[in-house]
Amino acid sequence: GRGKMAAGGAADAQARFGHSVKGLLTEKVTSCGTDVIALTKQLLGQAARNMVMQEDAILHSEDSLRKMAIITTHLQYQQEAIQKNVERSSNLQDQLNHLLK
């Protein structure tokens, strides 16, 4: 009966080993799943923050463009006013030259 006992002991040890391996694998899979979830949350958080920053940048750009458009319009008005003044003064100069002849 000794061989049977040894075989039974070996089978028992194998079962225990199989059980602990299963336990370890389950633990690993669980912690791996937890890591994946944590990483996903982290990445989603970063993506959300980046989106908010990009949105801010876009809004800021739109605001800047609007301001630049206003400044451009003002500069055009000023340029037109200057041109009119130049024309007037050259007309005046012509008249003065005419008078001084």
Side-chain angles (χ1 to χ4, degrees):
R2 226 180 178 165
K4 248 191 187 164
M5 284 260 298
D12 201 34
Q14 208 172 1
R16 274 203 310 271
F17 179 71
H19 200 69
S20 67
V21 167
K22 258 189 205 163
L24 279 172
L25 281 175
T26 307
E27 210 176 293
K28 274 276 177 229
V29 169
T30 306
S31 76
C32 200
T34 309
D35 288 350
V36 168
I37 291 168
L39 185 63
T40 306
K41 278 182 182 170
Q42 198 181 344
L43 290 174
L44 283 175
Q46 281 175 355
R49 277 195 298 278
N50 288 344
M51 246 178 72
V52 168
M53 275 166 36
Q54 283 172 343
E55 219 173 3
D56 279 353
I58 290 168
L59 288 174
H60 186 70
S61 300
E62 281 179 353
D63 202 34
S64 298
L65 282 173
R66 218 171 288 122
K67 284 177 187 163
M68 284 197 284
I70 293 168
I71 291 169
T72 305
T73 307
H74 280 302
L75 287 173
Q76 281 170 341
Y77 285 139
Q78 286 177 348
Q79 190 191 2
E80 283 168 24
I82 290 167
Q83 265 175 327
K84 278 178 190 156
N85 283 332
V86 168
E87 282 166 22
R88 271 195 216 113
S89 68
S90 71
N91 279 346
L92 275 173
Q93 230 171 356
D94 283 350
Q95 285 174 8
L96 275 173
N97 285 340
H98 224 63
L99 284 172
L100 293 173
K101 267 181 185 172

